[in-house]
Amino acid sequence: MSRTPIIAANWKMNQTPSETATFLEKFVGFFDGKTAVDIVIAPPFVSIPKASEFIGQSEAVDLSAQNMSPEPSGAFTGEISAAMLNELGCDYVILGHSERRTLFGEDDAFINRKVRAACEAGLKPILCIGETLEERDAGRIEEVLKTQLEGSLADVTAEQMADIVIAYEPVWAIGTGRTATPEQAQEAHAYVRSVLAGKYGEEVANGVRIQYGGSAKPANAGELISQPDIDGFLVGGASLDPDSFHEIVKAGVAEAQGNS
Ligand code: 13P
C-alpha cells in the first residue's frame, strides 16, 4: 500500500510570532498548491495564530500544536484545550514527545487520555514513541516500543487509529546529530507496524503513517524515506530554516513520485 508521506516541523520552543511570519512568508511561497506529501508545521502555542494567517491560505501546509491538555476546560492553569486548537485551525497535535515524557513527567496513561481527547475533537495526533540509548543497549527496544504503543493507544478504536500518525524518535538521536541508520530505523518502524497489525489488523496497520524523528536533515532524508516502512519525518533542528526544511520536504516528494 502506498501511504502519503508526512513531513512535519516540530519547532519546539523556537520561533516567536514575528519569526514565524518571516519563516512562513518564505516557506509557503515554495509551494503552488498541494504537493505529493502532507507538510505540517508545529509552532509554539503563541505563534499558532500568526502561523494560521499564512497556513490558512495554503493548500500545501497544515498546522499542528506541540501538545494539549486531555481536559476539555476548567481550572488547569497554563493548559490549552483541543477546542482552543480547533478554533485556531490546527489539524494535528504532537503528543507524547520524549521531551514531554522526560522533562515534564508524562506517562503512557496520561498521553493516552490526550490521544483520545484529540481524536474525539477531530485533531489528528502525531504520537511520539522511542527508546533511550540505555534501553537500546540493553536489547529492550521492542519491549519499550510495545509498552509505549499499548499504553498510549489503550481504548483507541481502529477508526481513530486511521487518523493517528506515529513518530518513531529514538531518544539518543534527538538533537544529537546522531541519526539512526536507515536499517536501524526501518527495523524499528517495521516492528511498530507489526504491533499495530496485532492490535488493529493488517489493513489498518498498513495505512498508518510512521515518521522517523531524530537528527533528520537534508543529507540523510532521501535514504531514510526510501525504506519501506518510513513514511516521513518529524524534524526538530533542521526545520527551523525554511530552505533546509524545504529540502527534506523535497526528499518526501521525490519518494512519493517514485512510488506513484
Ligand atoms: P532533531 O531533529 O532536532 O533531532 O529533533 C527531533 C525531534 O525531537 C522532533 O520532534
Side-chain angles (χ1 to χ4, degrees):
M1 165 187 284
S2 85
R3 295 172 289 267
T4 304
I6 174 165
I7 319 288
N10 175 11
W11 283 351
K12 310 191 179 183
M13 199 171 71
N14 298 292
Q15 312 279 42
T16 64
S18 62
E19 289 164 347
T20 295
T22 306
F23 179 107
L24 285 174
E25 192 153 24
K26 177 166 182 181
F27 185 74
V28 165
F30 290 144
F31 309 102
D32 181 18
K34 181 88 186 96
T35 69
V37 303
D38 291 339
I39 307 169
V40 179
I41 305 269
F45 288 129
V46 296
S47 297
I48 290 177
K50 181 55 77 184
S52 194
E53 287 174 27
F54 292 87
I55 290 175
Q57 295 157 24
S58 161
E59 279 176 43
V61 187
D62 289 329
L63 188 57
S64 176
Q66 298 175 14
N67 184 27
M68 62 167 241
S69 169
E71 304 292 343
S73 63
F76 301 99
T77 302
E79 291 293 288
I80 303 282
S81 72
M84 294 171 184
L85 300 179
N86 271 330
E87 198 168 314
L88 292 180
C90 288
D91 305 291
Y92 294 86
V93 58
I94 297 171
L95 296 174
H97 191 279
S98 74
E99 286 147 21
R100 302 289 326 163
R101 292 175 186 265
T102 323
L103 304 173
F104 302 98
E106 295 193 8
D107 62 12
D108 290 322
F110 188 54
I111 294 162
N112 175 245
R113 290 179 55 216
K114 296 185 185 207
V115 169
R116 285 184 290 134
C119 289
E120 276 157 27
L123 288 163
K124 297 175 193 146
I126 297 177
L127 171 64
C128 305
I129 56 171
E131 82 288 353
T132 63
L133 191 55
E134 202 180 16
E135 290 162 342
R136 172 168 283 262
D137 287 345
R140 295 182 50 222
I141 304 174
E142 295 192 350
E143 171 202 332
V144 169
L145 296 180
K146 189 162 201 239
T147 302
Q148 290 176 340
L149 283 170
E150 286 186 342
S152 311
L153 295 173
D155 297 323
V156 169
T157 65
E159 200 183 353
Q160 290 172 328
M161 193 62 225
D163 273 338
I164 297 177
V165 176
I166 304 288
Y168 168 65
E169 301 206 299
V171 178
W172 47 273
I174 296 178
T176 57
R178 185 178 161 193
T179 318
T181 65
E183 295 73 26
Q184 286 173 324
Q186 166 57 27
E187 202 180 347
H189 283 229
Y191 177 71
V192 168
R193 203 175 301 286
S194 76
V195 173
L196 296 176
K199 194 168 157 61
Y200 295 105
E202 294 282 340
E203 195 180 332
V204 172
N206 284 337
V208 173
R209 285 152 337 148
I210 307 175
Q211 296 174 308
Y212 169 79
S215 301
K217 46 185 179 264
N220 56 33
E223 205 185 349
L224 282 162
I225 204 164
S226 68
Q227 300 296 314
D229 286 292
I230 300 184
D231 307 312
F233 299 103
L234 186 55
V235 188
S239 75
L240 295 174
D241 173 73
D243 291 306
S244 131
F245 188 51
H246 187 209
E247 289 304 313
I248 298 174
V249 167
K250 283 195 217 162
V253 170
E255 178 65 20
Q257 287 171 343
N259 278 341
S260 64

